[in-house]
């Protein structure tokens, strides 16, 4: 059966491959590395403290305020309410953009190309809404409404691209969410304990599910190998000790997870890794996700 693709999706798919955007992406990426260098700031902007990406939470404010203003602008006598909502949206757009910028800097090339246009649409929207506020303050209400509706169109285009980034390209989603569905119940043999390297990450696989295994002496930690951020292979990462606790650093974008429980120490990941229970039987290591 022939498959059909919506014309708008085809355009965005082309955007993902538009290498023309790469010089802009590169310039913005190096700017990000300078401006958002401190790990604590990056973690806060990613939403590590929240256990959820912060950007989609904040986007609700400008999108909600500007959408409500569009409704009020169609109702006579609600000019002050519309202006207040537009000002609220403009104020909220700044921290929202900062969180998006931090998330964008740790994505792959196709994400970043779409992300640049997403950001450009939102910058245009912010400019138009700011101009609309200025026009309203000067008493030019018709012009203020026209600018706000133009801003609404730009915001909608930006919102569409943001949705594409998340739902089509998987940015911000938890890439380890399906592990409990894929991993078979019960205990599973993953080989001899003594065959594992000491203090180095190793990979083992159970029925297609890759596991990160780190042995330190007789102690073993096992996490899902697929990084929750964008599926990077943690077994290719680096073992490190932070705050006295063993951690693994993802080789792709540096997310750091505590081995003891899979918790996120540093982003861009915000979802923890699944941790597996272990036991040693006759010198062989066994793992289970639920202890069944
Ligand atoms: S895939 Fe991005 S930090 Fe692991």
């Amino acid at each position: 059966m022939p498959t059909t693709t919506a014309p708008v999706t085809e355009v965005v798919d082309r955007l993902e491959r538009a290498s023309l955007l790469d010089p802009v992406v590169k310039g913005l990426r190096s700017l990000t590395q300078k401006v958002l260098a401190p790990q604590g700031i990056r973690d806060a902007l990613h939403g590590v403290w929240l256990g959820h990406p912060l950007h989609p939470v904040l986007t609700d404010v400008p999108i909600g305020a500007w959408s409500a203003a569009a409704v009020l602008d169609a109702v006579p006598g609600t000019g002050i309410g519309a202006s207040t909502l537009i000002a609220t949206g403009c104020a909220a757009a700044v921290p929202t953009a900062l969180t998006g910028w931090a998330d964008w800097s740790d994505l792959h090339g196709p994400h970043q190309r779409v992300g640049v246009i997403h950001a450009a649409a939102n910058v245009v929207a912010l400019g138009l809404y700011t101009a609309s506020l200025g026009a309203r303050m000067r008493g030019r209400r018709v012009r203020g409404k026209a600018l706000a509706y133009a801003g609404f169109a730009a915001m909608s285009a930006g919102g569409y691209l943001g949705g594409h980034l998340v739902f089509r390209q998987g940015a911000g989603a938890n890439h380890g969410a399906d592990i409990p569905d894929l991993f078979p119940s019960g205990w599973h043999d993953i080989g001899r304990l003594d065959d594992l390297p000491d203090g180095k990450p190793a990979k083992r696989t159970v029925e297609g599910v890759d596991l990160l295994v780190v042995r330190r002496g007789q102690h073993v930690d096992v996490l899902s190998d697929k990084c929750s951020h964008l599926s990077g292979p943690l077994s290719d990462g680096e073992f490190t000790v932070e705050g006295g606790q063993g951690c693994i650093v993802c080789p792709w974008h540096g997310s750091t997870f505590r081995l003891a429980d899979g918790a996120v120490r540093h982003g861009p990941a915000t979802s923890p890794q699944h941790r597996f229970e272990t036991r040693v039987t006759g010198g062989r290591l066994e793992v289970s996700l639920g202890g069944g």
Side-chain angles (χ1 to χ4, degrees), residues 193-215:
L193 179 67
D194 290 346
D195 288 347
L196 290 165
D198 202 330
K200 284 199 184 124
K203 182 166 108 174
R204 296 290 184 268
T205 303
V206 173
E207 295 195 22
V209 178
D210 291 335
L211 306 173
L212 159 76
V213 186
V214 181
R215 176 170 81 91

Side-chain angles (χ1 to χ4, degrees), residues 167-244:
F167 298 110
R168 186 78 171 248
Q169 297 183 280
N174 174 9
H175 286 250
D178 56 354
I179 299 292
D181 299 323
L182 297 174
F183 196 80
S185 61
W187 289 95
H188 302 273
D189 185 317
I190 58 168
R192 287 183 51 76
L193 179 67
D194 290 346
D195 288 347
L196 290 165
D198 202 330
K200 284 199 184 124
K203 182 166 108 174
R204 296 290 184 268
T205 303
V206 173
E207 295 195 22
V209 178
D210 291 335
L211 306 173
L212 159 76
V213 186
V214 181
R215 176 170 81 91
R216 285 168 287 164
Q218 293 303 299
H219 178 82
V220 186
D221 291 300
V222 180
L223 302 181
S224 51
D225 190 48
K226 193 166 74 157
C227 177
S228 66
H229 177 234
L230 279 178
S231 305
L234 295 185
S235 52
D236 288 348
E238 192 184 332
F239 170 74
T240 185
V241 176
E242 270 206 33

Side-chain angles (χ1 to χ4, degrees), residues 61-62 65-66 69 79-95 126 129-134 136-137 148:
V61 182
W66 288 342
I80 291 179
S83 298
T84 306
L85 285 166
I86 287 171
T88 303
C90 290
V94 177
L126 177 59
Y129 276 113
T130 305
S132 167
L133 263 187
R136 287 164 200 258
M137 285 166 71

Side-chain angles (χ1 to χ4, degrees), residues 147-159:
L147 285 164
Y149 281 121
F152 184 76
M155 177 199 76
S156 302

Side-chain angles (χ1 to χ4, degrees), residues 106 108 227-234 250-255 257 267-269:
D106 289 313
H108 296 316
C227 177
S228 66
H229 177 234
L230 279 178
S231 305
L234 295 185
C250 179
W252 284 5
H253 311 102
S255 288
F257 301 95

